[in-house]
Amino acid sequence: MNNDLLAEIKNKIEGEVLNSEEALTEYSHDASLFEVKPEAVAFPKNQRDVEELVEIVKNNKQKFPDLSLTGRAAGTDMSGGPLNTSIIVEFSRYFNHLPLIQEVSAVTEPGVFYRDFEAETLKRGLLFPSYPASKSICAMGGIVNNNSGGEKSLRYGKTQNYVRKVSAVLADGKTYEIRPLNKKELEAKINQQDFEGRIFEQIYRLVLDHQETILKSRPTVHKNSAGYNLWDIWNEETEIFDLTKLWVGAQGTLGLMLSAEIGLVPVQKNHRMVVIFMPNMDYLGEIIEKILPLGPESFESYDDNTLKLALRYFPEFAKQLGIYGMIQAGLAFLPAFAMMALGHLPKLILQVDFAGDTQEELKSKVDRLLSELKPLNLKTQLAIGDQAKKYWLVRRESFNLLRNKIRDKHTAPFIDDFVIDPQKIQTVLPEVTKILAEHPEFIFTVAGHVGEGNFHIIPIVDIMNPAVRTAIPEIAERVYKVITENGGSITGEHNDGLIRTPYLNQMFGEEMVKLFEQVKDIFDPQGIFNPRKKVRGDLKFAMAHIREKW
């Protein structure tokens, strides 16, 4: 980076600006398989700092075309979303104040860790239900910007359903409030004849002029984080124009978020979980048909490789339960240890979690499910309290174990988040795993939100093996071909980032991708924010930045 420009940034913002080799190396990684070294890392202290950063980049963009700003919070993204070659704007250092809890919502800053956010909401008996499996390590900025979902999104939906308004710095260097507008408010915005007014006018016109293309391209699966959400901005029936639907999941490509107001739901205190152990997937479609009408809060799955990992590193799971919990978990896991020793581990484990106001209501649902499953002669278990907790630990923590414990190999999440119609799982999932099985260099685990058809396949590889690096784009193209041909989405909750942006044309088609590019250009005409994500993705750039080492 030009020394004069770096000096200007340091002089004009209160927060720190680092460009040491140590700092640049640290911020060249997230939880993805990529390494992209920035030129500087800025830690803004307040709104004015963020505005100054945008103003400086805006004024110098013509002279330095590669200059850009990429927001970052916890750095747990699996797509390479917060990685870039210019300036990283790190929010977790100062934009991390505890949320302001209101009656049924909370105002949060992007750098607040979800675990801290949840601790505050639980004091009021409230919960943000769209938290991801990485809830112990991720931050609210990533949740909003990725349109995250998780184990409860089957019942409650994704983050876009809960973001009521966003405060953000846009490309003119000013802070704006983005919230739903009625027709009269929208007309007033359009009539402003300024930068904000032009955004509202042009997005409104784009949505109206291309309604047929947009509706035709809408993913029909339960959830989607691919592309820009043009489907939910304008509601003709209510005449509500809601740019939060576009902002959520835009992965920081339209501006930098300062805060968001997020809706909350009451905590369901009564739970009963049915665990189903499947020796194969022969009856999976039939089982899904029986379960979904009962309205579970969560319907999760993981495979035998994931369970093997949990058993291999059992003490690390058990210590999270406390001394009493460790004893209980040890007793509960004895059958699984025995099955592994005998080579009889189930191929797939299903977790069906019911939540409600009364135990009587839940017992009725569980009894009905167990009765309907009886003819299939499958092993099942009723799990309540600590028994259920052990299964949630396996489901939530498997990726962290993969990252931390397989020392000679590394996680390579690149087909980690596809979504298909749950009724197609029985045929599509074997097609996908067959593609991976053709490459013996790839060991992989399968887990997911089976009730939504959303699967996380995490290969474990020797990233230095040239065959692995060559195979990654080949496998991705074949897998995404299978997914798109079956009407699915290439990402349900992890977003596009470096790894999936190049495949958006394959999913949506050229006409829709051109509309995505127009959205980017309307909000960010100079290309200031997080380039190469959502639009104009470069597969060669991505493949050239696969990590060389961990």
Side-chain angles (χ1 to χ4, degrees), residues 358-365:
T358 66
Q359 286 290 353
E360 290 75 17
E361 171 193 355
L362 302 184
K363 185 177 184 302
S364 174
K365 289 185 177 184

Side-chain angles (χ1 to χ4, degrees), residues 197-422:
R198 287 194 296 275
I199 287 176
F200 278 89
E201 179 185 17
Q202 291 177 31
I203 295 294
Y204 179 57
R205 182 54 51 199
L206 182 147
V207 170
L208 283 173
D209 289 349
H210 300 278
Q211 274 185 319
E212 185 178 345
T213 299
I214 291 169
L215 290 174
K216 185 175 64 177
S217 301
R218 184 182 192 123
T220 57
V221 286
H222 194 270
K223 58 187 178 184
N224 170 66
S225 281
Y228 288 120
N229 181 6
L230 293 174
W231 305 279
D232 299 318
I233 297 172
W234 173 242
N235 187 317
E236 284 189 343
E237 292 183 10
T238 62
E239 293 193 325
I240 297 296
F241 186 80
D242 188 359
L243 279 185
T244 69
K245 303 299 185 190
L246 180 62
W247 182 274
V248 175
Q251 213 164 24
T253 60
L254 306 181
L256 293 171
M257 174 183 133
L258 302 179
S259 67
E261 182 181 343
I262 295 178
L264 306 170
V265 301
V267 173
Q268 295 284 346
K269 295 182 179 179
N270 294 304
H271 288 263
R272 281 180 180 242
M273 180 190 290
V274 175
V275 185
I276 305 168
F277 304 92
M278 300 185 62
N280 51 55
M281 294 200 295
D282 289 351
Y283 299 112
L284 186 57
E286 187 177 345
I287 291 171
I288 290 171
E289 284 185 358
K290 295 178 185 300
I291 291 172
L292 290 180
L294 296 174
E297 185 176 66
S298 305
F299 183 6
E300 302 289 288
S301 67
Y302 53 89
D303 69 348
D304 52 342
N305 287 334
T306 306
L307 184 56
K308 286 175 187 174
L309 188 73
L311 295 174
R312 182 177 177 186
Y313 298 107
F314 174 76
E316 306 209 4
F317 278 113
K319 72 181 181 182
Q320 298 182 51
L321 301 173
I323 296 176
Y324 174 74
M326 287 181 69
I327 297 170
Q328 294 293 102
L331 294 172
F333 267 101
L334 278 176
F337 279 113
M339 283 190 290
M340 185 169 70
L342 296 172
H344 295 158
L345 279 179
K347 189 66 179 175
L348 195 67
I349 297 94
L350 305 181
Q351 295 179 189
V352 190
D353 194 34
F354 295 99
D357 295 327
T358 66
Q359 286 290 353
E360 290 75 17
E361 171 193 355
L362 302 184
K363 185 177 184 302
S364 174
K365 289 185 177 184
V366 167
D367 289 346
R368 177 181 162 187
L369 176 59
L370 293 175
S371 175
E372 292 187 2
L373 290 177
K374 198 168 185 180
L376 302 180
N377 198 30
L378 295 169
K379 179 177 172 55
T380 61
Q381 181 181 348
L382 178 63
I384 303 174
D386 285 342
Q387 288 181 317
K389 192 179 291 185
K390 73 171 186 180
Y391 291 106
W392 280 124
L393 281 171
V394 175
R395 173 64 188 88
R396 291 169 180 160
E397 296 298 325
S398 58
F399 180 68
N400 282 333
L401 274 180
L402 288 173
R403 289 174 65 194
N404 296 327
K405 288 298 176 185
I406 312 299
R407 296 299 183 191
D408 57 333
K409 297 183 186 295
H410 302 285
T411 51
F414 66 98
I415 51 166
D416 49 286
D417 189 39
F418 62 81
V419 189
I420 52 175
D421 183 328

Side-chain angles (χ1 to χ4, degrees), residues 1-11 19 39 64:
M1 174 176 287
N2 178 274
N3 289 334
D4 291 339
L5 181 58
L6 185 64
E8 181 183 358
I9 295 171
K10 289 182 175 181
N11 184 53
N19 67 333
E39 293 185 295
F64 303 106

Side-chain angles (χ1 to χ4, degrees), residues 494-523:
H494 293 175
N495 220 288
D496 298 314
L498 288 171
I499 191 60
R500 278 178 286 272
T501 296
Y503 297 97
L504 289 179
N505 196 74
Q506 183 175 327
M507 177 176 168
F508 290 107
E510 186 176 347
E511 191 174 2
M512 193 66 180
V513 168
K514 285 182 178 177
L515 294 183
F516 294 157
E517 291 174 353
Q518 288 182 45
V519 169
K520 171 68 170 175
D521 293 341
I522 289 167
F523 270 87

